[in-house]
Amino acid sequence: MTIPGAAQAARGGEDPAASSGYADHPPRMGFFTDTSVCIGCKACEVACKEWNSVPEDGIALTGMSYDNSVGLSADTWRHVAFIEQRKPVADGQDQFRWLMASDVCKHCTHAACLDVCPTGALFRTEFGTVVVQQDVCNGCGYCVPACPYGVIDRREDDGRVWKCTLCYDRLGAGMEPACAKACPTESIQFGPLDELRDRAAARVAQLQAVGVADARLYGEDPGDGVGGDGAFFLLLDEPEVYGLPPDPVVTTRDLPTMWRRVGAAAATLAAGAAAAFAVAALGGRR
Amino acid sequence: MSEAEVTREGLRGVRPGRDATPGTDTVQGTESGRRRRGRAGRRDRTGRRAEQPMVPPVEFASYYGKPILNAPVWRSPDIPGYLFLGGLAGGSSLMAAGAQLTARPGLARVSKAAAAGAICLGLAGLVADLGRPARLVNMLRVFKVTSPMSVGSWILSGYVPAAGAAAACALTGRLPRAGAAATAGAAVLAPGLASYTAALITDTAVPAWHDGHREMPFVFAGSAAMAAGGFGLLAAPPGESEPARNLALFGVATEAAAFERMTRRMGLAAETYRSGRAGAYIRAGQALSVLGASGALLGRAGGRRGRAISALGGASLMAASAATRWGIFHAGLASARDPKYTVVPQREQRKARQQEPAGTRERAAT
């Protein structure tokens, strides 16, 4: 099947590598994480740590089902969520179910972390992914609260920020990221984003056809608040159940308004100061 | 997947066996499982009835109550201190320039000293807060208008030398012309310095900050005027302090009006400005600014007593400005640490968008 280039671009949304100035670049690469086949083995967490030499992230037991890594952080770039649920079924009886989902950096089309980075340490790669240059980052921490997903974080003893690189080094050598390579059920699928979107649409249709009415895609829509994610998901419940924001928006979308308001406030302050002296002069004359 | 579960009542959820159709026994309905009652309408710590909720108590799902956002790694007192000191410096530079133009040497001198002192202290806090202070100069590696911190770094790189030179010339009495030029230069950058920090904090996903992005710059500009005016009242010779009094009162009015408007328009995250540590700071700031404004007004009478009242009023206004900055800082942290402030507004936003006709949405996306 061939899709004309223009139609492909329109369907796939903005091409972040091209807008970042790459004239000739490989297709945008990403993850499709199909949580309906995740078995919670955490092979992705381990593979990520091994390949990227990510340090230990705490060895305490949390009591949150099988999840002891809690969430994405500077030292956890893949995080498997475990949710134990009791759901009503057709005959009115509660049924126990377990949801498992491997979370990761979304490599947003409009990435807030990248926008707000004052040093240029965060950059867009030719694959359309977002990566930190560790020799440039000065640890200002601005990207941390800018991320609408709570992904990037500062490593305490190191002072710099860290997150998933989508294995930039492996991609450069034509290999797939360590987590996708290690996933035994192909819950984590790696490939060109267009292809993954097709595959995801087919999979969600298949699940709904067999009665899994709650199956939905998350982050695949180029019309969403971040312009679509480079790493998107198939979920079996609302996003917030997995600790994902229901409708994230890149904060810099409002930046033009912010700068206009800052300009107006600065002018108000200057005018107020001028008025303070003018009023004093008038009062003095009386 | 294991459907069977051992409970006190015995075995629950008998295995359907090999006849199970994939998925059919797993998912029914759309409501999610883990729910928590919201806190709206609860009694506050003092036992008084908290503000009447505008909406029914919020119900929402979360992942073990864990936050969705990673909270800012910025520390107190470094960052709220910088927000305050940057405002004090910016306001003081404006006052120094005005005092110089209107021949008020005493007010000019103390304002220049305040500007230089405040910005040096604030800068020290900023550097201390970096994860890698040795790489401070990387801030000037690029200029990015999408990063308020980058814009701020460039403002500071012009402002700090100018404010420093202005203060040095004023205190030593040397090179008066260069000092005047430096004063003017600092005053040009000062309004930007005092208000860019609002864009800095609101350009984040932190609900209590981002949702105030329209009004926060005016809160900060008002707070800066209040701090600088307060310092003028405290330190300038009484005969020259009239502009400081006016600037302080202008600041009090601007900050109060902008803050009120901000929290009114904000929605759910406005709660974080009323409760906990942030609420305590905000209430202290409001009380101090009323006290300070009264002092500034009463002190107008002059005389020894008037002077003392003015000075006390000035000190409370500075404290009020600082308390408000600390309050805003902590409200941001609180709103990032509770998933409620991320989930509930985003669900409403998504619902509103889905109800729009498709055409409107297409246009909004472009």
Side-chain angles (χ1 to χ4, degrees), chain A residues 49-248:
Chain A
K49 288 220 163 210
E50 289 286 342
W51 182 265
N52 295 297
S53 296
V54 181
E56 177 241 300
D57 53 3
I59 45 172
L61 299 178
T62 60
M64 293 158 47
S65 188
Y66 280 61
D67 179 4
N68 293 314
S69 51
V70 184
L72 294 175
S73 71
D75 299 332
T76 310
W77 301 356
R78 266 281 177 191
H79 162 248
V80 183
F82 290 79
I83 300 126
E84 297 176 24
Q85 280 186 336
R86 189 171 291 288
K87 290 284 240 187
V89 289
D91 58 5
Q93 272 195 330
D94 279 359
Q95 189 85 44
F96 177 82
R97 77 163 173 172
W98 224 332
L99 298 178
M100 286 157 276
S102 179
D103 195 10
V104 70
C105 171
K106 317 298 178 293
H107 296 277
C108 309
T109 304
H110 303 300
C113 59
L114 177 60
D115 284 344
V116 303
C117 176
T119 63
L122 275 150
F123 77 110
R124 178 80 62 183
T125 72
E126 65 273 30
F127 301 104
T129 58
V130 180
V131 175
V132 188
Q133 298 176 80
Q134 295 301 343
D135 53 342
V136 177
C137 175
N138 68 4
C140 75
Y142 200 1
C143 50
V144 177
C147 173
Y149 295 101
V151 171
I152 197 164
D153 209 355
R154 193 157 81 180
R155 192 174 288 166
E156 270 320 303
D157 57 350
D158 172 286
R160 296 173 293 178
V161 295
W162 300 82
K163 73 168 191 73
C164 160
T165 67
L166 213 126
C167 284
Y168 188 38
D169 49 349
R170 291 176 63 98
L171 259 58
M175 297 159 80
E176 67 179 317
C179 56
K181 184 83 187 165
C183 180
T185 64
E186 291 183 35
S187 168
I188 300 173
Q189 301 173 30
F190 165 77
L193 199 57
D194 287 335
E195 200 182 305
L196 293 177
R197 282 177 175 152
D198 289 342
R199 214 185 293 169
R203 172 66 181 164
V204 81
Q206 178 201 347
L207 282 175
Q208 281 174 345
V210 298
V212 188
D214 269 356
R216 88 262 332 253
L217 296 180
Y218 174 80
E220 95 298 352
D221 178 9
D224 70 15
V226 296
D229 291 330
F232 64 98
F233 301 81
L234 187 150
L235 304 178
L236 297 177
D237 205 334
E238 296 291 338
E240 56 268 29
V241 172
Y242 297 88
L244 295 165
D247 193 23

Side-chain angles (χ1 to χ4, degrees), chain B:
Chain B
M1 176 172 161
S2 153
E3 282 85 10
E5 188 189 23
V6 182
T7 69
R8 281 187 185 168
E9 285 73 42
L11 202 61
R12 289 183 59 155
V14 183
R15 293 172 61 91
R18 67 176 72 170
D19 298 330
T21 318
T24 47
D25 62 339
T26 53
V27 187
Q28 289 288 330
T30 54
E31 289 308 303
S32 38
R34 201 171 294 273
R35 296 203 173 270
R36 201 174 64 142
R37 299 292 289 184
R39 279 179 289 178
R42 211 174 59 172
R43 274 164 203 280
D44 65 16
R45 201 154 35 103
T46 51
R48 281 172 307 178
R49 180 94 177 107
E51 195 168 321
Q52 196 65 31
M54 304 300 287
V55 287
V58 221
E59 274 202 351
F60 73 104
S62 77
Y63 183 66
Y64 298 96
K66 293 286 170 196
I68 285 187
L69 304 175
N70 282 337
V73 289
W74 299 330
R75 285 180 299 254
S76 172
D78 298 344
I79 299 308
Y82 171 70
L83 299 178
F84 164 68
L85 292 167
L88 174 60
S92 296
S93 281
L94 284 173
M95 206 153 63
Q100 185 169 286
L101 281 173
T102 57
R104 290 179 170 93
L107 180 62
R109 197 163 48 242
V110 296
S111 298
K112 288 174 192 176
I119 204 61
C120 287
L121 203 59
L123 205 57
L126 286 187
V127 177
D129 202 69
L130 287 179
R132 290 279 172 116
R135 293 186 185 173
L136 171 69
V137 290
N138 280 6
M139 287 292 188
L140 304 181
R141 190 176 163 264
V142 289
F143 174 79
K144 283 170 77 175
V145 76
T146 59
S147 170
M149 194 184 280
S150 170
V151 173
S153 302
W154 285 101
I155 291 178
L156 281 171
S157 70
Y159 176 83
V160 173
C169 295
L171 296 177
T172 59
R174 288 169 194 271
L175 303 170
R177 282 193 167 186
T183 306
V188 167
L189 293 171
L193 173 74
S195 30
Y196 94 88
T197 42
L200 177 79
I201 65 163
T202 56
D203 192 21
T204 58
V206 175
W209 293 344
H210 183 91
D211 296 351
H213 69 265
R214 288 169 186 282
E215 294 83 15
M216 195 72 84
F218 292 90
V219 175
F220 278 23
S223 187
M226 195 157 100
F231 184 80
L233 277 179
L234 182 66
E240 297 180 8
S241 66
E242 207 48 34
R245 195 185 310 276
N246 295 338
L247 185 66
L249 292 171
F250 161 79
V252 170
T254 309
E255 195 214 62
F259 186 83
E260 178 61 24
R261 193 175 156 77
M262 177 172 86
T263 44
R264 234 173 238 276
R265 287 182 54 167
M266 188 174 283
L268 190 64
E271 269 178 30
T272 56
Y273 287 94
R274 294 187 203 110
S275 54
R277 211 160 158 192
Y281 275 120
I282 294 291
R283 282 189 296 276
Q286 284 165 341
L288 284 165
S289 71
V290 169
L291 203 70
S294 325
L297 283 170
L298 291 173
R300 202 168 240 161
R304 246 184 82 183
R305 192 184 238 181
R307 251 173 271 163
I309 292 176
S310 286
L312 273 177
S316 348
L317 289 174
M318 291 179 73
S321 171
T324 306
R325 308 300 184 117
W326 254 267
I328 291 170
F329 179 78
H330 284 290
L333 295 191
S335 74
R337 284 175 184 151
D338 190 334
K340 175 169 71 168
Y341 302 111
T342 309
V343 172
V344 177
Q346 286 192 16
R347 283 187 68 103
E348 285 165 9
Q349 170 187 306
R350 188 180 60 183
K351 208 167 137 192
R353 212 188 43 202
Q354 281 165 352
Q355 280 163 359
E356 274 174 32
T360 335
R361 197 183 151 198
E362 293 294 311
R363 271 202 305 282
T366 50

